[in-house]
Amino acid sequence: MKNENISTKMKDSGIEWIGEIPEEWEVRRIKFSAKTRNEKYSELYGKLDYFGLENIESQSAKYIATDNIYDIEQAQICKKGDIAFGKLRPYLAKIFEVPKTECCSSEFVLFHNFLGINTFYKYLFLSHGFINIVDSSTYGTKMPRANADFIKNLFIPVPPFPTQQNIATFLDKKCAAIDSAVEKELLLIEKLKSYKQSVITQAVTKGIRPNRKMKQSGIEWIGEIPQEWEVMPFKRFLFANNGREIGNEVSSDTKNAVRIFGSGGVFKYTDKYLYDGETVMFGRKGTLGKPLYAKGKFWTVDTMYYLKFTKKLFPKYNYYQLTAFDWTPFITQTALPSIVASEVIAEKFVFTDYLEQQEIASYLDKKCTAIESAISKKTSLIDKLKEYKKSLIYECVTGKRECCNF
């Protein structure tokens, strides 16, 4: 079948993940298209910059600065133009084109002296077809790792040098444009999240009714509150309970399966419940300062607290209170923060009557649903852009798309 993205005559490469390639292209093993560098760091190089797997963004080949301290004795030397391929968890696609002489983690396979254009091979290694075939070869369950010799023996498509340059230049420009679009959408998502937080904070500390007389709350970060509101500790209205270790686990499609909540939400199911009703949960360890709302039967793990309420506090309103609550002192007080529920519920917050609590919760439900919908649309657009980028790279480096018109 003729590929609508290309006019040249195609041939079968004989390699499943590559498929058809232009007739003038070759297929070679990597070890016949590039050399590998295996040089340990020595003091003769003096002080060099370092990058590890954590410094390379997944699937983008971009460098991310961190404050990590590295073990210099385990580092290896890499030089300008080398392409570093992360062999640990290769599905993450940690690929990097080295900009200068520096050292890096031994978890990278370093390729250099390419038969052609370095940047072309960077994109080739980033292509999902190549990543998938490397990932299929990994050994080890917890730390899946690919063997360097396996990678070096893989067959790859090798176009003529001018074609490699065309592809590299084309993808540099196209990928930069896609990355820029993704960054803009991510920025808008962060702005929407900030807006959502400000809407919640405004509603639970100032109310939603206009033209009200205000008074000082005595809580610095809250400031003024409606005159008829009161300042009281949470514990006047609720009780904190510890989660428990999970008993019997079942699949999600089991009849009457009960949700198990962790700090990130539902992650497993069981056949018993810890509580049946409305609750707000927050983490004791792990993800802190991120309350969760639940209704009905549920179980929560022993690193979580769940709340029971008096009749004077509307549960969904309390969820929004704790979303606006300043968790900073509890998160930053130790190197390994662990929240104590009794300390949290002893903190003072501002409260209104039950009817207004329901009114505010209903208002925030609608506002937050609209904001989350906007975030979801932008997230979906980002996913589509990333998928387009993956397809574009694969089609270009395997010759299924012409890349000379830019």
Side-chain angles (χ1 to χ4, degrees):
M1 183 181 294
K2 185 175 177 60
N3 190 325
E4 62 181 13
N5 294 318
I6 193 164
S7 58
T8 190
K9 191 174 181 181
M10 305 290 283
K11 66 181 180 182
D12 183 9
S13 69
I15 307 299
E16 185 176 357
W17 77 266
I18 299 174
E20 287 191 333
I21 57 174
E23 197 169 49
E24 69 273 19
W25 287 31
E26 298 180 7
V27 173
R28 293 170 173 261
R29 293 187 189 273
I30 294 177
K31 65 182 180 182
F32 299 133
S33 303
K35 294 181 179 179
T36 51
R37 192 181 303 281
N38 295 290
E39 183 181 356
K40 292 292 184 182
Y41 172 82
S42 75
E43 293 181 354
L44 295 175
Y45 279 98
K47 187 176 181 180
L48 294 175
D49 288 334
Y50 170 91
F51 64 89
L53 290 170
E54 67 278 9
N55 296 112
I56 309 304
E57 187 177 65
S58 179
Q59 299 181 344
S60 77
K62 292 182 179 178
Y63 176 82
I64 305 170
T66 66
D67 296 326
N68 291 356
I69 298 173
Y70 62 92
D71 182 359
I72 200 166
E73 293 183 0
Q74 299 300 316
Q76 57 179 338
I77 292 295
C78 49
K79 297 184 179 181
K80 183 178 180 179
D82 288 2
I83 304 298
F85 184 95
K87 60 184 178 180
L88 177 64
R89 298 189 179 95
Y91 59 85
L92 294 175
K94 300 271 188 169
I95 320 296
F96 186 54
E97 187 169 0
V98 180
K100 62 182 186 297
T101 297
E102 51 190 318
C103 51
C104 68
S105 166
S106 58
E107 293 294 355
F108 287 101
V109 182
L110 298 171
F111 293 99
H112 70 107
N113 199 20
F114 292 95
L115 191 65
I117 310 301
N118 299 29
T119 306
F120 166 79
Y121 288 89
K122 176 188 73 174
Y123 286 116
L124 177 63
F125 294 162
L126 274 173
S127 68
H128 64 80
F130 184 80
I131 291 296
N132 290 343
I133 200 70
V134 174
D135 189 52
S136 69
S137 73
T138 57
Y139 57 93
T141 304
K142 292 184 178 180
M143 303 280 280
R145 185 179 279 105
N147 182 279
D149 286 332
F150 175 85
I151 298 171
K152 289 188 288 184
N153 277 287
L154 286 174
F155 285 100
I156 57 171
V158 181
F161 290 6
T163 304
Q164 291 185 30
Q165 185 63 69
N166 283 345
I167 292 170
T169 303
F170 177 84
L171 286 175
D172 277 346
K173 292 183 177 181
K174 294 290 286 186
C175 290
I178 295 168
D179 290 344
S180 177
V182 168
E183 286 298 321
K184 287 179 181 178
E185 294 303 318
L186 287 172
L187 181 59
L188 289 171
I189 286 174
E190 288 307 308
K191 288 182 176 179
L192 284 168
K193 288 179 178 179
S194 295
Y195 172 61
K196 176 184 172 184
Q197 185 69 22
S198 68
V199 167
I200 293 171
T201 302
Q202 176 74 15
V204 298
T205 61
K206 310 290 187 239
I208 57 174
R209 298 172 185 172
N211 305 319
R212 305 174 78 163
K213 288 186 177 181
M214 307 293 280
K215 66 180 181 182
Q216 283 296 326
S217 66
I219 301 174
E220 185 178 354
W221 70 272
I222 292 178
E224 289 188 333
I225 60 173
Q227 193 168 31
E228 64 272 24
W229 287 26
E230 297 182 83
V231 177
M232 288 180 282
F234 286 113
K235 64 183 179 182
R236 290 278 297 272
F237 302 93
L238 53 79
F239 308 92
N241 304 270
N242 289 297
R244 298 181 189 174
E245 289 187 13
I246 303 169
N248 185 41
E249 292 182 27
V250 300
S251 63
S252 60
D253 56 359
T254 301
K255 185 178 181 181
N256 299 322
V258 174
R259 298 162 297 166
I260 301 174
F261 284 86
S263 59
V266 176
F267 72 108
K268 289 181 180 179
Y269 294 83
T270 186
D271 53 2
K272 295 181 180 179
Y273 63 90
L274 191 58
Y275 184 62
D276 185 4
E278 286 186 274
T279 191
V280 177
M281 293 170 268
F282 58 88
R284 178 172 66 85
K285 293 181 179 180
T287 302
L288 305 179
K290 301 289 184 182
L292 302 171
Y293 170 81
K295 185 176 182 180
K297 296 177 181 178
F298 71 89
W299 190 283
T300 189
V301 294
D302 57 359
T303 57
M304 296 284 288
Y305 296 111
Y306 68 98
L307 304 177
K308 295 180 181 180
F309 304 95
T310 69
K311 294 182 179 180
K312 292 185 177 181
L313 184 57
F314 188 55
K316 194 62 177 290
Y317 176 74
N318 177 250
Y319 163 73
Y320 288 121
Q321 283 183 311
L322 290 176
T323 300
F325 182 66
D326 182 13
W327 293 90
T328 308
F330 299 94
I331 296 173
T332 60
Q333 61 186 349
T334 60
L336 295 172
S338 179
I339 286 178
V340 179
S342 60
E343 294 178 358
V344 173
I345 66 174
E347 289 290 308
K348 291 181 178 180
F349 205 85
V350 294
F351 293 85
T352 183
D353 62 71
Y354 197 84
L355 182 62
E356 189 173 7
Q357 290 176 28
Q358 290 178 305
E359 181 184 320
I360 291 171
S362 178
Y363 165 82
L364 287 175
D365 282 347
K366 291 176 183 177
K367 291 288 288 186
C368 292
T369 296
I371 296 169
E372 287 296 336
S373 176
I375 290 173
S376 178
K377 288 178 181 178
K378 293 193 173 299
T379 301
S380 178
L381 176 57
I382 288 171
D383 290 341
K384 289 177 181 178
L385 285 168
K386 288 182 176 179
E387 282 302 312
Y388 170 63
K389 179 181 173 181
K390 286 172 64 176
S391 297
L392 183 68
I393 290 172
Y394 173 75
E395 289 177 2
C396 289
V397 300
T398 57
K400 296 173 180 60
R401 179 185 289 267
E402 290 181 340
C403 305
C404 56
N405 299 314
F406 46 82

